[in-house]
Amino acid sequence: MSNSDKSGEGASKWRDKYLDALDQQEAAERAYQEELQILQRALVRVSVAADGQQRDLDAALELLRSSIRNNEKSRFHSALKALDAALLQFDDARDEMSTSLRAAMQSLIVPLLAREPARPLKKSLRELAQEVTRQGELLRSYPELLARLAGLQAEVLAVEEVPQSEKGGFLSRLMGSHQTSAAEGGESTPVHPSSDQPRERLSSGKSDRALFELNPNASLRDSETVSENMRNIINDLLQSVEAQALEPARVSALQQRLRSGITNADLIPMLEEVRDLVMAAYMAATRTFAAYLNEVNLELADIYGVLDAAVLHSGDLQSASDTMQADVLAEFERLQSQASEATDLTQLKNQVQSRLGSIRAALNAYRQRTSAAAPVTEQLSALAHRLKTMESEARKNREVLEEQRKKALQDSLTGLPNREAYNERIALEAQRFRRYGNPLVLAVCDLDYFKKINDTLGHQAGDRVLRVLSSAINKRLREVDFFGRYGGEEFVVIMPETTPEQAYTVLDKIRAAIFKTDFSYKDMPVELSVSIGIAEFRADDSAEQVFERADKALYEAKAAGRNQCRLADG
Ligand SMILES: Nc1nc2c(ncn2[C@@H]2O[C@H](COP(=O)(O)OP(=O)(O)OP(=O)(O)O)[C@@H](O)[C@H]2O)c(=O)[nH]1
């Protein structure tokens, strides 16, 4: 190849390379322009969304938008600088605002706490104060925090206005009454914090908390409708109650309320009602099943009686079988001895044939004697087999049922009877008290400063404290006393045949013993103490009224410094 050919080839290679590079450059340019446009559009949208927060910020955002719209590069840079400064200012202003909002919220909560509201209300207020400290930096959390504060404030103030006689029992307010009033049951009556029904006020205060427990990201606007998912779950629960044909009117009223759409404000009172219905349905189903098992047991006992008699009457079958076995064995023995004595094969063959004939005859005789009775015997043995299976199934069912019942009435953390078990027992004891008038005492115990234990050592330590405390109290009470976990760090003691003074002596000893207990968690000593409120049953008292008095005495014990017992006022 000549030199000029070589240089022509080299030039064309370089041209191709140059054209390729040019194509790549153009493609990169196009991509860059597209990305730039996307960024500009996004910037404009964000700036529109951020409008209206603050005047300086709005002006900086408008400057930025117009520089983008008119494609003015130099203005774009100065607009970015102005925006930066406005944002810093805005941040400071927002911090200031959240600090002053936080202070304002706390200054609203403190006077409410100073009014010494009932313990559950006090708890809710304290929790709210903590949440304000925790979440107070987020301006968007204020609508929810304010709604909670408004609800609690209404409760505190309204409780003070409602005369004692109209308040209803603490228990019924806390647990939710089993009977709903016409207003409560009304189709679309929204349950609002400002409602003047004491139970509803309390429930709605709890609603907010419970909602957050269900979904920490939940928005708590009372007027928001509840999600379809949640409505379906409630509906499923109602259907399971409906299947038990229990309180059909109440169930269909709830279903109708659900269909017409419920808001967050309605949710918790409704869930409380559904919970009561489901519990009642479960208990009713348990009772029905237990009654059925009882009937099966009685029937089994009857059938066994009949079988026993049949076995007695089948004595002749047994003797037929014995005769047949004896005949067959005798024939075999004869066969054996003849076989050993036989001198030739033909003789042996004849002897075997004759003996086999005898065995066949014995078997035939047995078959004839038993053939008449055979169907009855087979039926009896099939029946016995079926009965055995039924009996073992019934026993298993009984065990499962017993297990379920135990679980439903037991607190899983401490193994103590739970609030449902307390409800059953207190109703029984109150009935006995009304009939016989023997002294009956109810005490409410509450661990002191439990929150501090949880906060400093963690929930696991708290749980261990609850278990230790439960067994420490339980082992010091009599068999006839009832000791259960009412909820959280609160326990209840029912002491039948006991005067308040006797109860005081026993419980104060227990209190002192707990205070002396050396408890430590991971080598850290933890001081434990309890406060106890004690109240006796008086004529015409309901269990709720006595609970309320005991709880009030407990509150006084707490206020007087904790680690003490207090008798409710006469
Ligand atoms: N570890 C644990 N903590 C629980 C349980 N149930 C409730 N608690 C906590 O118990 C604490 C109760 O706190 P508070 O009502 O403020 O009562 P306290 O700190 O004992 O204060 P006083 O009763 O006034 O002496 C809360 O922090 C609850 O979270 C539980 O099952 N396990």
Side-chain angles (χ1 to χ4, degrees), residues 45-221:
R45 275 188 202 139
V46 170
S47 79
V48 170
D51 250 353
Q53 303 280 345
Q54 205 194 34
R55 212 177 317 132
D56 287 352
L57 187 60
D58 286 353
L61 288 170
E62 178 47 41
L63 195 63
L64 183 75
R65 280 196 297 269
S66 82
S67 70
I68 292 173
R69 252 184 261 119
N70 305 325
N71 206 9
E72 296 165 308
K73 284 211 175 66
S74 60
R75 270 186 75 211
F76 179 70
H77 285 291
S78 59
L80 272 184
K81 267 194 190 150
L83 181 64
D84 204 26
L87 276 174
L88 276 177
Q89 239 183 22
F90 176 67
D91 255 2
D92 289 347
R94 198 169 49 177
D95 282 353
E96 255 175 50
M97 200 200 302
S98 65
T99 311
S100 54
L101 268 174
R102 224 178 312 175
M105 289 278 288
Q106 299 291 13
S107 69
L108 284 170
I109 296 171
V110 170
L112 290 179
L113 277 170
R115 283 166 182 263
E116 310 249 302
R119 277 172 20 90
L121 258 180
K122 194 175 145 202
K123 266 188 204 173
S124 303
L125 281 166
R126 277 208 229 132
E127 278 169 12
L128 180 63
Q130 281 166 359
E131 213 133 300
V132 169
T133 315
R134 219 172 28 240
Q135 293 195 33
E137 273 175 34
L138 304 170
L139 284 176
R140 67 163 184 276
S141 57
Y142 275 95
E144 180 260 320
L145 293 173
L146 279 166
R148 279 173 65 181
L149 177 61
L152 292 171
Q153 193 176 32
E155 279 179 50
V156 173
L157 300 178
V159 168
E160 283 172 9
E161 282 159 18
V162 178
Q164 192 66 27
S165 58
E166 287 173 30
K167 276 192 201 169
F170 174 86
L171 193 65
S172 61
R173 280 186 289 134
L174 194 69
M175 287 286 291
S177 155
H178 287 257
Q179 244 96 74
T180 37
S181 71
E184 280 174 315
E187 236 164 63
S188 57
T189 314
V191 182
H192 239 268
S194 59
S195 154
D196 54 10
Q197 300 280 333
R199 173 171 109 69
E200 291 180 348
R201 275 195 306 274
L202 196 62
S203 312
S204 81
K206 291 186 134 232
S207 319
D208 298 343
R209 248 178 303 138
L211 258 185
F212 264 73
E213 276 156 22
L214 283 173
N215 173 8
N217 301 318
S219 155
L220 277 174
R221 255 163 264 132

